[in-house]
Amino acid sequence: MSLKNISTKDYTTFRYKPSINELGVYFHYGIFYNVKKQNFEISKDPLQRSKLYEINNLDISEDFSQMTFDAQIGSKVNQFLVCTTFEFQVFINEFIQNLKQNGFSISRDDFDDIWIIFDKETVQHIIIYKNNNGKLVDSLMIVNNDVLSIIKHDRSIKEIPITKIEIKDNTIHCYSANEIFIYKLDSQAVVINVLKKIFDSIQYIR
């Protein structure tokens, strides 16, 4: 059995898209949670789900900094070791452990497609779209171009720097110097909890 040591030193993406039954984490590989089978699968291409391989013997360390698992890709069984020192990735590993222990099912009331991109200890993008019967109801887009900013669509597109993001009563509050932007989350507690941990740990440039 060969060992593949994976570092999360580059970009990591967390994506939950209930509209297409997708829940996954992306780094050098893609790790997906198969809701029907209630298990995890891996893709060699983090951007595609065309070829998925079942993950076995998933184990996560007590401090959530290391994750090991096996997967048979082709004729070979490979063992994977994923190591991280970054807080956001630790939150993701804790989330994966929660799914392993408790399972996960997509609810009819999950309307938010959530996409978060990290670069080491920095949040680069937060993109949330609310879909209801295929219609876009609401959206939230936050980008990091040296300063974390919310994208505001009026007559033109504006980037408004924000000083804090928090979740209260399942609602995202984004604070700028002069305004508060609010986004109501329609997602499950386990997803909202990992978002809350991420938002509470963001370092802001003031």
Side-chain angles (χ1 to χ4, degrees):
M1 183 184 297
S2 62
L3 175 66
K4 295 184 180 294
N5 197 328
I6 304 171
S7 172
T8 57
K9 62 183 180 180
D10 299 317
Y11 287 95
T12 299
T13 300
F14 169 82
R15 189 160 71 178
Y16 178 44
K17 299 190 71 175
S19 59
I20 60 170
N21 295 325
E22 181 179 316
L23 176 60
V25 180
Y26 310 82
F27 31 89
H28 296 284
Y29 293 82
I31 294 179
F32 300 92
Y33 188 75
N34 188 316
V35 175
K36 290 183 179 179
K37 296 181 180 179
Q38 294 287 297
N39 66 359
F40 293 92
E41 297 170 328
I42 187 171
S43 169
K44 291 192 291 185
D45 185 343
L47 299 179
Q48 295 188 15
R49 301 170 61 194
S50 55
K51 289 187 177 180
L52 295 172
Y53 306 91
E54 184 175 350
I55 287 175
N56 298 298
N57 302 317
L58 176 64
D59 186 62
I60 299 175
S61 63
E62 290 186 4
D63 63 357
F64 306 108
S65 66
Q66 292 190 6
M67 175 167 57
T68 60
F69 56 87
D70 304 335
Q72 181 170 342
I73 299 177
S75 60
K76 292 184 178 180
V77 176
N78 298 281
Q79 185 178 47
F80 294 82
L81 171 63
V82 184
C83 300
T84 188
T85 58
F86 303 128
E87 188 173 28
F88 294 131
Q89 181 64 48
V90 166
F91 295 151
I92 298 301
N93 290 351
E94 185 178 2
F95 176 75
I96 291 173
Q97 177 75 348
N98 191 308
L99 300 187
K100 176 189 174 185
Q101 292 177 340
N102 302 308
F104 185 83
S105 297
I106 295 174
S107 169
R108 294 180 180 178
D109 298 324
D110 286 359
F111 297 127
D112 291 317
D113 287 354
I114 301 167
W115 185 17
I116 304 178
I117 301 176
F118 314 99
D119 178 13
K120 299 178 181 177
E121 292 285 13
T122 304
V123 172
Q124 292 294 331
H125 293 85
I126 300 169
I127 303 169
I128 305 178
Y129 293 106
K130 192 179 301 295
N131 292 290
N132 193 347
N133 295 323
K135 295 182 179 179
L136 180 62
V137 178
D138 199 1
S139 66
L140 175 69
M141 184 177 296
I142 296 169
V143 299
N144 192 336
N145 294 320
D146 295 326
V147 176
L148 208 61
S149 302
I150 189 168
I151 303 295
K152 181 72 173 177
H153 293 268
D154 290 323
R155 294 181 179 178
S156 60
I157 298 176
K158 300 178 182 178
E159 291 188 18
I160 302 173
I162 54 180
T163 58
K164 184 179 180 181
I165 310 173
E166 65 178 353
I167 296 179
K168 296 190 296 186
D169 299 324
N170 295 344
T171 301
I172 299 175
H173 294 72
C174 301
Y175 300 88
S176 72
N178 302 309
E179 298 178 82
I180 302 176
F181 303 93
I182 293 176
Y183 184 95
K184 176 69 170 65
L185 285 165
D186 289 299
S187 195
Q188 297 181 54
V190 63
V191 176
I192 293 175
N193 286 342
V194 73
L195 292 181
K196 188 176 188 309
K197 288 184 177 182
I198 291 167
F199 293 164
D200 289 347
S201 298
I202 292 176
Q203 300 296 316
Y204 301 94
I205 300 174
R206 304 190 184 274

